[in-house]
Amino acid sequence: AVLIDSSADDDFFSTLAFALPDGSISVIVLNGNRQYRRLDVGELPGTVGEVMNSSIEAYDVVLDVRDGYYLLPPLSVTSFVVVL
């Protein structure tokens, strides 16, 4: 994997994007906030194929299809595989 982008909205929310050998992109989102954070699906460059999450509690990543965003749990690391 090759790092292609990284950003941070604040000290507690950041993203890393990696190009994978199969042509897809892995996006890692770190939510260090003690509250849910929104991630707009429109910001991702393709179709999300897989979502994995790890947090200190038993939270789920919630996709609000109607409004087109993911709701990321507090204190979590979430991985999105994006198929271009």
Side-chain angles (χ1 to χ4, degrees):
V2 176
L3 179 66
I4 56 173
D5 194 12
S6 65
S7 66
D9 286 354
D10 58 43
D11 290 341
F12 300 103
F13 192 78
S14 58
T15 60
L16 301 165
F18 297 90
L20 302 177
D22 66 359
S24 62
I25 296 175
S26 175
V27 179
I28 310 298
V29 183
L30 309 170
N31 181 13
N33 292 287
R34 295 195 175 273
Q35 57 194 339
Y36 278 89
R37 287 287 302 258
R38 278 176 59 138
L39 177 70
D40 291 331
V41 177
E43 295 179 8
L44 300 175
T47 304
V48 175
E50 185 177 350
V51 178
M52 293 178 284
N53 177 261
S54 176
S55 65
I56 63 167
E57 299 289 337
Y59 293 108
D60 290 324
V61 175
V62 177
L63 171 61
D64 186 325
V65 177
R66 181 187 52 218
D67 290 334
Y69 65 86
Y70 285 94
L71 200 54
L72 305 178
L75 303 173
S76 66
V77 177
T78 306
S79 172
F80 299 89
V81 176
V82 179
V83 181
L84 301 176

